[in-house]
Amino acid sequence: QVQLVESGGGVAQPGRSQRLSCAASGFSFSNYGLHWVRQAPGKGLEWMALISYDGGDKYYADSVKGRFTISRDNSKNTVFLEMNSLRVEDTAVYYCARAYSLDIAVVPDYWGQGTLVTVSS
Amino acid sequence: DVVMTQSPLSLPVTLGQPASISCRSSQSLLHSDGNTYLNWFQQRPGQSPRRLIYQVSNRDSGVPDRFSGSGSGTDFTLKISRVEAEDVGIYYCMQGTHWPPWTFGQGTKVEIK
């Protein structure tokens, strides 16, 4: 079955970096784009970034553009989110979610269980 | 960016009774390809989101038929015909027509009276 397993969360100090990973299984990874969506404690869902099926296209929310970098390794069925210059307001559960590459809307269908990133001094 | 506005934000319902959630977008979600990319997600307590509905009214695999979606342009509705205990959670609409960014509504919390 489809599985997306995020890892790499934890506590980071403001201004530092954190790298999240999302390992996929149960589907043809190279046929899917991958989103990162975050949810601050007690808040709603906020889209962060998308990488296309082949890594050729990347998109970012304005709030993280220039600080976060999304990448993927199709040989390892894994997508990454490199987060630099972390701020307290980046504290959230980070979810990865897949989106079929031929879907023009690239809407996420399956989501991982999320990994919590806490930015605090 | 397209702003998605849901109402109500809190919805107490009686088991077995219907429930309805509204979602409005700041611009039409009709795509130039003729499709409307409005989706609904369910997030049960302590769980990750799950897509229920795509393109306004298409249920995802395994979604009970008591869930239905409707609407067009800028006004959309998610209906639960008879609420069950497992339907408790937060429901989000999300648009995929005008991206990036993909934008979500604020969420509607469904709870049992």
Side-chain angles (χ1 to χ4, degrees):
Chain A
Q1 74 277 23
V2 175
Q3 280 202 316
L4 295 165
V5 180
E6 301 93 337
S7 60
V11 179
Q13 291 185 326
R16 302 299 293 266
S17 298
Q18 194 96 346
R19 189 192 200 204
L20 305 183
S21 300
C22 172
S25 60
F27 63 98
S28 297
F29 185 72
S30 59
N31 287 342
Y32 286 80
L34 272 296
H35 293 271
W36 285 99
V37 178
R38 72 183 180 186
Q39 187 170 36
K43 302 297 184 183
L45 301 171
E46 181 186 15
W47 174 80
M48 290 287 96
L50 168 76
I51 187 166
S52 62
Y53 68 100
D54 62 356
D57 295 304
K58 303 175 184 180
Y59 304 92
Y60 299 94
D62 287 345
S63 59
V64 302
K65 201 173 294 182
R67 297 191 300 124
F68 289 12
T69 301
I70 190 171
S71 61
R72 66 189 294 161
D73 184 341
N74 282 358
S75 68
K76 296 181 179 178
N77 286 6
T78 303
V79 64
F80 305 97
L81 188 67
E82 183 75 36
M83 304 184 295
N84 298 322
S85 303
L86 283 165
R87 304 168 180 168
V88 171
E89 55 264 36
D90 294 321
T91 295
V93 173
Y94 285 75
Y95 297 100
C96 68
R98 72 168 199 178
Y100 189 46
S101 61
L102 294 183
D103 172 10
I104 193 170
V106 209
V107 173
D109 55 10
Y110 284 95
W111 299 54
Q113 86 289 347
T115 188
L116 175 63
V117 174
T118 302
V119 184
S120 173
S121 55
Chain B
D1 297 356
V2 177
V3 177
M4 306 297 290
T5 303
Q6 291 182 228
S7 63
L9 299 184
S10 178
L11 183 57
V13 294
T14 302
L15 287 173
Q17 292 301 302
S20 180
I21 300 170
S22 172
C23 175
R24 289 185 173 175
S25 56
S26 60
Q27 57 185 281
S28 175
L29 298 186
L30 177 63
H31 193 277
S32 57
D33 70 356
N35 294 314
T36 299
Y37 296 103
L38 185 283
N39 311 271
W40 290 96
F41 293 85
Q42 175 195 60
Q43 187 174 31
R44 291 170 171 153
Q47 295 187 14
S48 53
R50 165 199 183 195
R51 196 178 70 179
L52 297 177
I53 302 279
Y54 62 96
Q55 289 184 39
V56 180
S57 59
N58 297 284
R59 278 189 302 275
D60 273 278
S61 176
V63 174
D65 60 8
R66 64 179 181 275
F67 289 94
S68 64
S70 62
S72 63
T74 60
D75 289 316
F76 304 93
T77 303
L78 176 70
K79 291 183 179 177
I80 309 174
S81 59
R82 295 172 306 279
V83 171
E84 298 189 5
E86 66 177 17
D87 300 335
V88 165
I90 302 177
Y91 292 78
Y92 296 92
C93 60
M94 190 212 82
Q95 69 84 22
T97 297
H98 305 288
W99 58 266
W102 288 259
T103 48
F104 294 89
Q106 317 98 299
T108 294
K109 186 174 185 178
V110 172
E111 56 187 7
I112 304 301
K113 281 183 185 176

